[in-house]
């Protein structure tokens, strides 16, 4: 079960734009993430590579957590708003719920739930 301090430190990393560093520090080597119902991305190295690809595709990516994270045992739920600004300066926002499973102070699984139509607006 993660402590509130660990979850808050993880959130700060994301809100500071330290996305790759957050994965490297808080995810287990065998962690998996799921985008809605898509097949998972498995393994911290693969997650880092995927994140670097996303960051390279945009001029700026920002994350803001909405409200507190809810912690119950090994499960953590957080509501997020992400802003993606492309090279032309067009910003798209994505609101999502992240459902996480932790093993101690490390993330083992994370599922992102969002409406993909948001990115087309």
């Amino acid at each position: 079960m993660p402590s509130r301090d660990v979850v808050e430190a993880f959130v700060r990393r994301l809100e500071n734009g330290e996305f790759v560093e957050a994965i490297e520090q808080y995810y287990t080597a065998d962690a998996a993430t799921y985008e809605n119902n898509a097949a998972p991305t498995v393994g911290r190295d693969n997650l880092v590579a995927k994140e670097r690809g996303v960051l390279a595709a945009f001029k700026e990516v920002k994350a803001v957590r909405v409200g507190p994270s809810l912690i119950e045992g090994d499960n953590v739920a957080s509501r997020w708003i992400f802003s993606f600004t492309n090279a032309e300066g067009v910003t798209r926002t994505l609101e999502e719920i992240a459902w996480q499973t932790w093993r101690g102070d490390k993330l083992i699984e994370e599922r992102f739930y969002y409406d993909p139509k948001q990115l087309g607006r």
Side-chain angles (χ1 to χ4, degrees):
M1 176 171 92
S3 68
R4 169 72 54 190
D5 290 342
V6 166
V7 171
E8 292 302 318
F10 173 76
V11 167
R12 279 192 302 279
R13 282 234 144 167
L14 297 180
E15 291 185 326
N16 288 334
E18 300 168 358
F19 302 104
V20 170
E21 295 85 354
I23 294 169
E24 291 172 336
Q25 181 176 356
Y26 291 101
Y27 289 63
T28 63
D30 60 343
T33 64
Y34 298 77
E35 300 278 337
N36 285 330
N37 293 320
T41 301
V42 180
R44 184 174 47 228
D45 292 343
N46 293 329
L47 295 169
V48 166
K50 181 179 176 182
E51 193 67 21
R52 284 191 172 129
V54 169
L55 295 172
F58 294 96
K59 180 176 149 186
E60 183 176 57
V61 178
K62 290 185 180 179
V64 176
R65 181 181 56 177
V66 179
S69 294
L70 307 176
I71 303 169
E72 179 66 32
D74 291 335
N75 297 306
V76 175
S78 301
R79 181 177 164 207
W80 291 93
I81 295 178
F82 288 89
S83 300
F84 301 89
T85 304
N86 66 20
E88 292 78 35
V90 176
T91 301
R92 303 265 191 243
T93 58
L94 176 72
E95 184 172 346
E96 73 176 24
I97 300 295
W99 179 263
Q100 303 167 336
T101 302
W102 291 69
R103 182 187 302 142
D105 288 340
K106 298 288 184 181
L107 257 165
I108 187 166
E109 182 180 285
E110 189 166 31
R111 294 179 180 262
F112 305 108
Y113 297 98
Y114 57 89
D115 180 357
K117 293 178 187 172
Q118 296 176 81
L119 293 173
R121 294 182 195 147

